[in-house]
Amino acid sequence: MARRRTTVAITAAAALISTSLVAAGSQARSPAVRDAALPEATADIATPEEFFGFEMGAEGRLAAYPDVLDYLRSVAQESDRVEYETVGETTEGNEYATVFISSPENLERLDEIVALNQRLSDPRSTTPDEAKELAARSVPIYHLEATVHSTEVGNGQAINDIVHRLATEDSEFTEEVLTQSVIMLVPSQNPDGQVKVVDHFDRTAGTDLARVYPDLYQKYTGHDDNRDWTMFTQVEARYRLGLTQKYRPVMTHIMHQQGNSGERIFVPPYGGVTSPNVPANSNASSSAVGQHAMRDLTAEGKKGVGTDDYHIYWTLEQPVGFFPFTGTGVYLTEIASATDLAYPQRSKDGGPLGPQTPTQDLIQPYDKDTWTLRDIVEYAETATYSGMEYVARNGEDLLYDNLYSAPREFAENGVASGVEAYVVDADQRDPYATFEMLERLDWTQVEIDRATEPFTAGGRDFPEGSYVVRTRQPLGNWVDQLLGTDEYPVDDLPYAEATTSLPLQLGVDVVPVSAPVEVPTDRVESVEVPEVSMPAAPPTGGAYLVRPESYGTIPVAAALQKANITTFRAGQEFADAGTTYPAGTYVVPATPQARRVLDTASADVGLQVTAARSAPAVEGIQLKPRTRVGLLRGANNMPGGWDMWVMDEYGVDYDVVGAQDFQSGRLIDVYDTIVLPQGISKDDVVEGLDPAKYDEEFAWAYGVGAKGWRKLAQFVRQGGTLLAVGDSVATAQELLDLPIEPALPDDDEEFATGGSLLNQEFDTSDMVAWGMPESWPVWLYDTQAWTPTGPGADVVSTYPDQDVLASGYLRGEEHVAGTANVVSFDVGKGTVVTYGSEVTFRSLPRSSFNLLYNAVYGGPAAEVGATQLAGLRPAFRADGTLRSR
């Protein structure tokens, strides 16, 4: 029976190896352990076909994720080559697991191997000769990851065959792989989606219903669940980070599928430009393993193998994420998909599938007219065995070149940009943004120092307590990638993003310094939310004040809403006790209940609450008590999924707007504010999902017809607030005939941004822009800028007349310069705000979040006069109804 490893929960923080464990590497066994003969395999382990009742890849059959885990557990019980671990629970409570496969000797000394790999990963503690000795004593870890995208089901089937072969076969191949490496298998990077997709597939068998799950298969991110490698918002991404940090794989094999019209399988080398922050050894080993796989696939007669097709090494929101920056090689395979997940794909014209012109990137086109799930499984298995073989044969070199030499390059020679350090001023307009940025660096084991006295660097003076993040450290390249700005060098654009600048996305003042920073510092052991305390309670008639600059005010406002606390916002700048407060400052009557809510909410985000003896005598607004927020996201709308995550994370009380909300009565009786996230068209609202193809589980996403479309317009005219983001602006414009028109040409040759941060100028006197700086970048990717065409368009923000690009790529600056981005309209009794840029893109551009949430609560608010605010006389009753004027 295999030794069962203790169930563990790996998080970004908990994944660190203790000092004693790392030190244990000095007592590692000799290289002879690698040469130990593999014991005879256990013969009575059930095959996948015997366990599941069908062959992996059988037409119309899919092994369910819980059953896959049961199978892997059973193999681990019977084989001393396999160990099973539970890492933790997923977003929706499913099991995230890992399986380790190797020789019994390697599994017995796995902790020792991990300690050796940890030592290799910090080149400052080891000389090159010592590193070569450590590499000789360790074995490489091959990280195999299946089904991050849950409709890519073939790989989740193939892993069962792979595990069975490694656990049962006695051959030169298995002996080499198992004695010369350790396989770390993640059966699914997105278990929640695996459960949903396969359950839906099985539930709809034998019906006329669509077989492919129609909605987000990860609760929040859907197909974007492999684009969470800077902020690590999802627990699954943090598990992945923890595994990488703990085990230090030399190669990570990410198993994907693609559409069904291209090559049958893609393997590296990749196409496009590469970031200079990706280690050359990481890049080279990715190309080498891909070429090894191409040779093996071709030798087996598996045609249609393509390369040089994926531009993944410029920014981080691609499948590779954090991996290559640590020196790990990234082996991405993308296999063509079949029909309805598990049925044959057949050529429409009877000819062979896929491109047919032989090139150096496709040396042998696929020559058949049919492609099946079994084909997917077989291609996946061959590509995986080839990757394992390459790592086993080249393990010592990969351990030295990837784990050791890659970080050594940056720790000793610095980064290509020439930046020696990034300095984070201790005095920031948004302390919560500063915390979140530093926290993410800390999660990835970046070393952060804090100055113990004032200093000068880069021509600027910094106070004591400012942070210094040096680039001459093992992850200095990651520091430069996250904290620097980007200038995408060519016109061949990346898949989505041309920049990953965290300071610009979050709203943090960070200064790159090209000379060494000379100042005494202390190492930051952990990043904490700034400590704040409540002020002394003001006298009767006094108020608590919260400044509006931080996006941390969103959860504070949400907490006040949840507790039904009367909340005002000042509409003008004012002064109190020698301090100037900007327009948008929250003014909360100083009741004991308000104090309790503010005490907890402000401490969570590190925002200081102050107290005023009396409220300011300026005009302002009162937020409607318990504002009713709706998110009209439609089925499988990923931007709406990210918006759900933000709302849940920040405690915003909202509901997803469903077709049932349009069935009777008025929308204004259900919602005060409705948000249209990026990607909502008129068809999404009117047509929605087809009831003939999707049963009542998805009734919320059915179309509402022309009558429902008119009800949405009536909602605004009757007093509702409608907020439209990205290309949903065109939907709002069509709905209400708003006086704006698109400003940007459709031709990508004339205008393109490739996912970039563009400078923006804000009218901070406007409620929508309260708390924003006068200028700061916004995210623009494949959406529009706008031109007002008549009266009634209140422009909140515009692109500058010149120097538009802040970070990334911009072609055709003249088309966007001077155009409008955020525009507000009064329509009937209601309010519409349009956001041409994606102000909530994948939860990343948090510096622009207030633009949306100011309006979420401010749109339905009631105006109050200076006398009314000074006297803290509510315009709304506690039940949300307006008092008579």
Side-chain angles (χ1 to χ4, degrees):
M1 300 292 287
R3 177 171 59 92
R4 298 297 300 277
R5 299 180 66 83
T6 304
T7 298
V8 295
I10 297 178
T11 65
L16 305 181
I17 305 299
S18 69
T19 303
S20 60
L21 180 58
V22 174
S26 62
Q27 298 160 0
R29 299 184 186 181
S30 69
V33 173
R34 281 190 179 181
D35 302 323
L38 193 67
E40 185 176 343
T42 304
D44 57 355
I45 295 175
T47 66
E49 184 172 5
E50 291 167 342
F51 186 90
F52 294 100
F54 54 89
E55 179 187 43
M56 296 296 95
E59 181 177 322
R61 302 297 300 273
L62 294 174
Y65 179 71
D67 295 338
V68 170
L69 295 190
D70 285 344
Y71 178 65
L72 298 178
R73 286 191 201 96
S74 71
V75 175
Q77 290 281 357
E78 297 296 331
S79 172
D80 58 2
R81 303 178 182 181
V82 180
E83 291 185 354
Y84 182 100
E85 286 189 1
T86 298
V87 176
E89 284 193 356
T90 62
T91 300
E92 298 188 74
N94 288 299
E95 181 183 355
Y96 187 106
T98 56
V99 176
F100 292 89
I101 312 165
S102 192
S103 68
E105 289 83 4
N106 285 337
L107 293 178
E108 185 64 31
R109 64 185 287 253
L110 184 56
D111 289 343
E112 181 183 308
I113 291 168
V114 168
L116 290 166
N117 292 350
Q118 288 285 330
R119 289 185 66 193
L120 282 166
S121 298
D122 188 348
R124 297 167 304 183
S125 63
T126 310
T127 68
D129 288 342
E130 290 170 337
K132 289 178 180 178
E133 182 184 355
L134 293 173
R137 297 197 329 237
S138 186
V139 294
I141 293 177
Y142 183 92
H143 180 183
L144 179 63
E145 177 185 281
T147 60
V148 59
H149 289 155
S150 302
T151 51
E152 300 169 8
V153 295
N155 296 305
Q157 310 301 297
I159 59 171
N160 299 296
D161 285 342
I162 292 168
V163 171
H164 181 265
R165 179 185 181 187
L166 295 176
T168 62
E169 183 178 283
D170 290 322
S171 66
E172 291 183 4
F173 167 79
T174 55
E175 180 165 357
E176 181 176 45
V177 166
L178 297 180
T179 60
Q180 302 298 318
S181 68
V182 174
I183 311 302
M184 180 174 70
L185 165 66
V186 175
S188 177
Q189 176 60 25
N190 180 19
D192 297 344
Q194 280 299 99
V195 171
K196 290 175 183 176
V197 166
V198 178
D199 281 0
H200 180 81
F201 181 83
D202 289 341
R203 186 171 65 83
T204 55
T207 73
D208 293 329
L209 298 174
R211 304 299 303 280
V212 180
Y213 188 76
D215 198 20
L216 300 173
Y217 45 67
Q218 202 279 352
K219 179 179 180 179
Y220 297 117
T221 65
H223 198 76
D224 274 350
D225 57 357
N226 67 328
R227 297 174 177 91
D228 187 28
W229 310 139
T230 56
M231 293 302 289
F232 302 99
T233 64
Q234 306 303 304
V235 66
E236 294 86 359
R238 294 194 291 275
Y239 289 150
R240 189 200 214 200
L241 174 63
L243 289 170
T244 301
Q245 290 174 324
K246 179 176 180 179
Y247 292 99
R248 302 291 181 179
V250 300
M251 186 70 66
T252 292
H253 180 181
I254 307 172
M255 307 173 78
H256 274 283
Q257 287 175 228
Q258 56 184 345
N260 52 37
S261 62
E263 66 267 6
R264 297 299 90 187
I265 185 172
F266 163 84
V267 296
Y270 306 114
V273 297
T274 184
S275 168
N277 287 320
V278 174
N281 287 341
S282 169
N283 224 328
S285 60
S286 299
S287 297
V289 73
Q291 290 296 288
H292 188 76
M294 172 179 273
R295 183 185 63 191
D296 286 349
L297 287 158
T298 303
E300 289 187 10
K302 292 180 168 61
K303 300 179 181 180
V305 184
T307 66
D308 194 32
D309 202 22
Y310 283 78
H311 301 191
I312 68 171
Y313 266 160
W314 178 253
T315 58
L316 317 179
E317 308 310 320
Q318 304 300 323
V320 298
F322 177 66
F323 295 136
F325 294 86
T326 67
T328 297
V330 178
Y331 175 31
L332 171 67
T333 54
E334 295 265 4
I335 305 175
S337 296
T339 300
D340 285 343
L341 307 182
Y343 292 91
Q345 177 76 18
R346 292 188 171 87
S347 170
K348 294 181 180 179
D349 60 6
L353 291 165
Q356 293 300 301
T357 302
T359 67
Q360 288 300 309
D361 299 334
L362 181 69
I363 58 175
Q364 196 173 32
Y366 189 67
D367 57 1
K368 298 178 182 178
D369 65 356
T370 302
W371 180 252
T372 68
L373 179 61
R374 184 60 196 168
D375 290 327
I376 296 170
V377 168
E378 290 179 352
Y379 273 59
E381 290 173 5
T382 297
T384 301
Y385 297 140
S386 184
M388 291 175 178
E389 181 181 70
Y390 177 83
V391 168
R393 289 181 178 177
N394 297 278
E396 193 169 325
D397 289 339
L398 290 169
L399 284 163
Y400 182 83
D401 294 338
N402 287 27
L403 293 196
Y404 178 74
S405 296
R408 180 169 176 255
E409 172 189 348
F410 299 104
E412 293 188 357
N413 301 324
V415 294
S417 67
V419 174
E420 286 289 334
Y422 289 91
V423 181
V424 184
D425 198 308
D427 298 328
Q428 296 282 338
R429 68 187 306 275
D430 189 345
Y432 186 59
T434 306
F435 157 73
E436 288 211 303
M437 184 188 77
L438 294 174
E439 179 188 51
R440 268 45 178 203
L441 293 175
D442 185 52
W443 283 0
T444 52
Q445 299 179 344
V446 165
E447 296 168 353
I448 305 168
D449 295 317
R450 195 166 193 178
T452 57
E453 59 185 50
F455 64 101
T456 300
R460 278 183 51 173
D461 294 329
F462 295 94
E464 177 185 350
S466 295
Y467 297 93
V468 180
V469 188
R470 294 180 171 86
T471 58
R472 290 183 188 266
Q473 59 172 294
L475 282 171
N477 56 325
W478 177 251
V479 170
D480 196 50
Q481 186 73 28
L482 289 190
L483 299 189
T485 56
D486 300 291
E487 186 175 344
Y488 193 74
V490 298
D491 288 336
D492 186 11
L493 293 182
Y495 176 74
E497 295 78 38
T499 184
T500 52
S501 175
L502 277 190
L504 295 184
Q505 290 176 359
L506 302 184
V508 184
D509 179 23
V510 175
V511 179
V513 179
S514 57
V517 177
E518 304 294 344
V519 62
T521 59
D522 289 333
R523 180 59 46 84
V524 175
E525 299 299 333
S526 65
V527 177
E528 306 293 342
V529 176
E531 289 189 12
V532 294
S533 60
M534 287 295 290
T540 302
Y544 294 114
L545 307 177
V546 181
R547 298 181 66 92
E549 292 95 342
S550 173
Y551 61 79
T553 57
I554 301 168
V556 173
L560 292 167
Q561 284 272 310
K562 183 177 181 180
N564 205 22
I565 304 293
T566 299
T567 304
F568 298 91
R569 299 191 73 179
Q572 301 167 7
E573 181 180 278
F574 66 94
D576 182 83
T579 299
T580 300
Y581 292 84
T585 295
Y586 290 83
V587 181
V588 183
T591 65
Q593 185 187 18
R595 183 179 181 85
R596 288 193 296 271
V597 172
L598 286 171
D599 188 13
T600 300
S602 65
D604 286 343
V605 293
L607 298 186
Q608 183 61 54
V609 178
T610 57
R613 296 183 64 84
S614 60
V618 295
E619 294 180 348
I621 61 175
Q622 184 201 343
L623 304 190
K624 184 174 183 180
R626 292 180 175 167
T627 303
R628 301 164 302 171
V629 182
L631 181 67
L632 205 169
R633 71 171 181 84
N636 203 31
N637 176 265
M638 287 182 287
W642 283 107
D643 288 342
M644 287 196 303
W645 180 82
V646 171
M647 291 181 180
D648 285 342
E649 183 77 0
Y650 291 170
V652 175
D653 187 15
Y654 75 100
D655 288 309
V656 172
V657 179
Q660 68 277 5
D661 293 321
F662 291 81
Q663 298 305 315
S664 61
R666 308 183 307 169
L667 282 174
I668 194 64
D669 295 329
V670 183
Y671 299 107
D672 299 308
T673 297
I674 293 178
V675 179
L676 296 181
Q678 153 76 5
I680 298 298
S681 67
K682 180 178 179 179
D683 279 350
D684 292 323
V685 178
V686 175
E687 302 297 332
L689 291 181
D690 183 353
K693 294 183 178 180
Y694 301 97
D695 59 18
E696 291 185 1
E697 178 183 347
F698 305 102
W700 63 273
Y702 290 168
V704 300
K707 183 178 179 181
W709 179 250
R710 291 192 295 272
K711 278 193 173 185
L712 187 58
Q714 291 166 0
F715 162 77
V716 177
R717 296 191 176 101
Q718 291 166 349
T721 296
L722 184 69
L723 311 177
V725 180
D727 59 20
S728 293
V729 172
T731 305
Q733 199 278 338
E734 182 179 5
L735 176 72
L736 296 162
D737 194 24
L738 301 175
I740 50 173
E741 64 181 15
L744 304 179
D746 293 332
D747 188 351
D748 287 346
E749 294 301 316
E750 294 186 56
F751 180 84
T753 59
S756 298
L757 290 158
L758 306 187
N759 288 314
Q760 192 87 164
E761 297 173 348
F762 301 98
D763 177 2
T764 58
S765 67
D766 191 293
M767 176 273 292
V768 178
W770 280 346
M772 295 296 294
E774 291 185 357
S775 63
W776 196 262
V778 297
W779 181 267
L780 190 69
Y781 170 57
D782 201 25
T783 57
Q784 265 290 349
W786 296 84
T787 300
T789 58
D794 181 11
V795 177
V796 178
S797 74
T798 59
Y799 297 96
D801 292 331
Q802 58 186 358
D803 297 327
V804 177
L805 180 65
S807 186
Y809 175 89
L810 178 60
R811 177 194 302 146
E813 177 184 85
E814 67 276 11
H815 295 292
V816 72
T819 63
N821 179 28
V822 182
V823 187
S824 180
F825 311 84
D826 291 329
V827 179
K829 296 180 180 179
T831 301
V832 178
V833 184
T834 59
Y835 306 84
S837 67
E838 289 185 71
V839 293
T840 58
F841 178 78
R842 294 182 188 159
S843 82
L844 291 171
R846 301 184 183 194
S847 60
S848 59
F849 277 10
N850 279 340
L851 292 168
L852 182 70
Y853 287 94
N854 282 343
V856 164
Y857 294 125
E863 295 182 358
V864 295
T867 302
Q868 196 171 0
L869 180 53
L872 299 177
R873 294 195 298 274
F876 284 111
R877 298 182 179 90
D879 63 2
T881 59
L882 277 168
R883 300 178 188 274
S884 57
R885 298 286 179 92

